[in-house]
Amino acid sequence: MGGMTASSPPRVLTVAGSDSGGGAGIQADLKTMLALGVHGMSVIAAVTAQNSLGVQGYWELPPEAVRAQLDSVLGDIGAQAVKTGMLASPVLVETVAEVLSGVDAPVVVDPVGVSKHGDALLAPEAVDTMKSRLLPVATVVTPNLWEVSQLTGVKVEDERDLRRAADAILELGPAWALVKGGHLPGAPVDLLTDGVQEFRFTAERHDNRHTHGTGCTLASAVASHLALGEDVPSAVRKAKDYVTGAIARGFPLGGGIGPVDHAWHWRGR
């Protein structure tokens, strides 16, 4: 190095489940972080056996293992942003929320309830813990429409319901709500609001079924851009651009739903 010191990239921590198929979860988070130029770190809360066809099983880690990973990373290295994904059970949601309530960095909560294949990834009794403990420590929460109804009871039928849904999410305590309207008919619209400012993001709909990992990827991209110094609206805008490109270049894998391409802007295709 000849006496020069290399500067460290911003550090982003994901607290989530492992996806053995590599398209979602911790694996998607770390790939996204690498693609966006931050140093990704991980706390594994659960291990899934999953592939392109679905989730064949999941095993939670003991709370003390999750807490030890958190203490280990945050105590020595620290983080400029944190992203949470699949936390599976009430005790894990509570453990993570407790630690994160003492962290200064922005926290992006992807309130993972169910996989792309419809497999439940959050115990029903953990929904209340997520509402009462985790959402109040969130800077941004990124539910899809199914997760909105799971958390608030608000059913989004069309674009006009998005703001009502976002306001119901904000009542649970996060600073910002990003309600993902991708499952609505027509051009997909996501609505971001802090209760005062409102931003709508539209993207072309890609006729592509290889969308495994989109939610994990978006939340990790938001966290990465926050760590890089963006404010919430511009972090979300940049994250959306990255995910849109990744979906457009999703590829087949196995016999089912393939992943988005996290390395799309390197592959140049």
Side-chain angles (χ1 to χ4, degrees), residues 119-139:
D119 301 298
L121 298 175
L122 183 71
E125 61 275 17
V127 174
D128 287 341
T129 319
M130 184 173 276
K131 287 162 64 167
S132 61
R133 299 297 303 276
L134 189 59
L135 294 195
V137 307
T139 309

Side-chain angles (χ1 to χ4, degrees), residues 88-114:
S89 69
V91 65
L92 291 184
V93 173
E94 199 154 330
T95 301
V96 171
E98 191 181 318
V99 173
L100 294 186
S101 65
V103 168
D104 244 356
V107 175
V108 180
V109 171
D110 182 15
V112 175
V114 75

Side-chain angles (χ1 to χ4, degrees), residues 181-230:
H183 292 120
L184 287 175
V189 176
D190 296 353
L191 183 140
L192 172 72
T193 181
D194 61 354
V196 181
Q197 307 170 74
E198 180 181 300
F199 303 86
R200 285 174 189 252
F201 301 94
T202 55
E204 54 185 305
R205 185 180 295 282
H206 291 288
D207 186 22
N208 182 352
R209 68 197 195 95
H210 301 303
T211 53
H212 183 59
T214 42
C216 309
T217 300
L218 179 68
S220 290
V222 173
S224 298
H225 284 299
L226 290 173
L228 288 162
E230 302 288 346

Side-chain angles (χ1 to χ4, degrees), residues 31 50 77 80 83 105 124 127 197:
K31 290 174 189 183
Q50 67 176 298
I77 304 172
Q80 273 72 56
K83 177 251 165 165
V127 174
Q197 307 170 74

Side-chain angles (χ1 to χ4, degrees), residues 32 47 58 95 102 140 147-148 174 214 236-237:
T32 299
V47 174
Y58 76 77
T95 301
V140 192
E147 288 153 356
V148 164
T214 42
V236 170
R237 193 184 70 249

